[in-house]
């Protein structure tokens, strides 16, 4: 459908004036997140008309704000926060998806986790709904993001030289969020076949100890990884001031994610993009160059 125009002059700059590049409208729910802002960059750098939503305009905890997603955008990238694996996420995600599709969107892309029951439920509900609407759909089902190490919850610990995490010896196929953003952008623009789940992993399985060693080497400083028990991890979160319900939910999530069910590679990046995914060594080299792990000295 012809898009309603929502200008983002600040982001699109002079390219916005080109009538050849403003035919489509794209909407990103979670446009400031790790994947969302990269997809936003990719779309705006191509001169496309894109709108990004997050709080306070759109708040997953406030249904009264959900109408802001009813823009009738040609394509929508839907990322749920804080965690699609948290109990109850599926119902909320599918309600927003319904509003998006009812407003006339023809292509819906969902960011999902890998194998958690609630994430799977959300995928199934969204795919059924999109199909019933006759809309195109795509699912980016992602492994653990590499960028959790420098843009997410672990950045501070790694910068302090001490990383304690309840992963024991489990191996994870960490995926680079830039690969995820490439796939999502391709799906939003119809450049990658829709109607599929793309399971996105990096090229190798690594333990958290191995990942920490790679990061330490790139950062050129010692960083110690200590496997800890789940209750001790939750206790540390509480001590750090994380609200109890969120700390416990994170504990449950990591218990689920790190139970070994993700210890296998998938070929989603190659299927979608025709190239291999980036590995953790390349990610760590580029991230270290920004100084993200250089700041704090461990006590
Ligand atoms: N991290 C991973 O390793 C990983 C792996 C697979 C799947 N995922 C999935 O990715 C999704 C996002 O995770 P992430 O790690 O990428 O998070 P993130 O980088 O912290 O991004 C979260 C995004 O959601 C927005 N947000 C936060 N709370 C919100 C709320 N109450 N209402 C509306 N928007 C809100 C944030 O914007 P504002 O704060 O500006 O509102 C931001 O744009 C989750 O569903 C998760 O299951 C994550």
């Amino acid at each position: 459908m012809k898009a309603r125009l929502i200008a983002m002059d600040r982001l699109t700059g002079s390219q916005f004036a080109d009538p050849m590049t403003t035919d489509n409208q794209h909407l990103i729910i979670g446009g400031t997140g790790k994947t969302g802002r990269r997809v936003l960059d990719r779309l705006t750098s191509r001169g496309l008309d894109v709108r990004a939503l997050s709080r306070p305009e759109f708040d997953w905890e406030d249904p009264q704000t959900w109408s802001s997603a009813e823009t009738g955008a040609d394509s929508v990238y839907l990322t749920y926060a804080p965690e699609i694996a948290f109990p109850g996420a599926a119902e909320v995600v599918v309600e927003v998806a319904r509003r998006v599709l009812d407003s006339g969107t023809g292509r819906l892309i969902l960011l999902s986790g890998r194998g958690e029951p609630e994430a799977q439920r959300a995928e199934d509900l969204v795919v059924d709904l999109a199909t019933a609407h006759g809309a195109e759909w795509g699912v980016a089902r992602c492994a653990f993001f590499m960028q959790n190490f420098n843009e997410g919850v672990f950045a501070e610990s790694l910068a302090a030289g001490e990383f304690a995490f309840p992963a024991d010896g489990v191996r994870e196929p960490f995926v680079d969020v830039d690969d995820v953003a490439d796939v999502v952008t391709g799906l939003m623009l119809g450049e990658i076949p829709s109607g599929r789940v793309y399971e996105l992993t990096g090229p190798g399985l690594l333990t958290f100890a191995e990942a920490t060693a790679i990061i330490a080497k790139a950062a050129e400083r010692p960083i110690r990884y200590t496997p800890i028990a789940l209750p001790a991890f939750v206790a540390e979160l509480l001590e750090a001031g994380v609200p109890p319900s969120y700390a416990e939910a994170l504990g449950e999530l990591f218990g689920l994610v790190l139970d070994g069910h993700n210890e296998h590679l998938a070929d989603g990046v190659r299927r979608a993009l025709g190239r291999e995914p980036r590995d953790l060594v390349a990610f760590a080299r580029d991230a270290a160059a920004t100084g993200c792990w250089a700041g704090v000295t461990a006590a």
Side-chain angles (χ1 to χ4, degrees):
M1 77 177 310
K2 186 75 180 171
R4 256 183 285 159
L5 211 63
I6 299 176
M8 296 286 285
D9 313 49
R10 183 168 54 83
L11 296 163
T12 51
S14 57
Q15 296 175 85
F16 189 71
D18 179 355
M20 294 304 290
T21 60
T22 55
D23 280 347
N24 298 301
Q25 183 200 340
H26 308 280
L27 175 70
I28 300 169
I29 301 176
T32 54
K34 292 181 203 65
T35 66
R37 65 174 173 266
R38 286 173 166 85
V39 173
L40 178 66
D41 283 350
R42 282 159 173 74
L43 294 173
T44 52
S45 72
R46 288 165 75 156
L48 296 169
D49 171 29
V50 53
R51 182 178 193 195
L53 281 178
S54 59
R55 292 171 294 182
E57 195 178 3
F58 177 95
D59 189 336
W60 285 105
E61 290 179 11
D62 181 2
Q64 289 192 343
T65 65
W66 296 352
S67 58
S68 61
E70 297 169 8
T71 64
D74 289 356
S75 76
V76 172
Y77 177 41
L78 196 163
T79 74
Y80 177 74
E83 258 302 331
I84 199 165
F86 282 177
E91 274 68 30
V92 176
V93 165
V94 81
E95 171 56 20
V96 170
R98 187 187 61 72
R99 288 168 175 246
V100 162
L101 291 163
D102 282 350
S103 75
T105 288
R107 189 177 289 143
L108 180 61
I109 315 304
L110 176 70
L111 173 67
S112 185
R114 202 165 172 236
E116 302 88 35
E118 192 69 8
Q120 185 62 59
R121 225 158 59 77
E123 286 180 21
D124 292 346
L125 290 171
V126 167
V127 168
D128 285 352
L129 190 71
T131 305
H133 274 76
E136 292 180 42
W137 59 267
V139 175
R141 182 189 288 165
C142 299
F144 202 97
F145 296 161
M146 293 178 189
Q147 278 76 2
N148 290 330
F149 292 125
N150 68 329
E151 297 175 14
V153 281
F154 311 130
E156 214 174 302
S157 312
L158 288 159
E162 293 280 353
F163 178 36
F165 194 59
D168 207 0
V170 76
R171 293 177 306 156
E172 175 66 30
F174 302 100
V175 66
D176 192 310
V177 160
D178 278 310
D179 286 336
V180 176
D182 283 345
V183 173
V184 170
T185 303
L187 281 166
M188 289 182 84
L189 297 179
E191 296 170 351
I192 291 173
S194 61
R196 297 179 195 181
V197 174
Y198 289 90
E199 194 159 343
L200 306 177
T201 75
L205 290 164
L206 294 167
T207 63
F208 279 73
E210 290 165 338
T212 306
I214 288 170
I215 289 167
K217 190 171 176 200
E220 297 179 339
R221 60 189 299 256
I223 303 175
R224 184 169 61 181
Y225 172 70
T226 311
I228 56 171
L230 206 49
F233 176 71
V234 174
E236 281 196 6
L237 291 178
L238 292 171
E239 207 174 305
V242 175
S245 58
Y246 189 53
E248 275 151 30
L250 274 181
E252 272 176 40
L253 171 72
F254 288 132
L256 265 178
V257 169
L258 303 169
D259 68 356
H261 77 268
N262 282 336
E263 263 190 331
H264 59 97
L265 302 177
D267 65 353
V269 172
R270 197 178 331 115
R271 274 201 304 138
L273 303 174
R275 63 164 174 80
E276 294 305 311
R278 289 224 316 160
D279 66 15
L280 194 82
V281 173
F283 154 77
R285 182 197 58 221
D286 292 351
T290 69
C292 61
W293 296 307
V296 193
T297 307

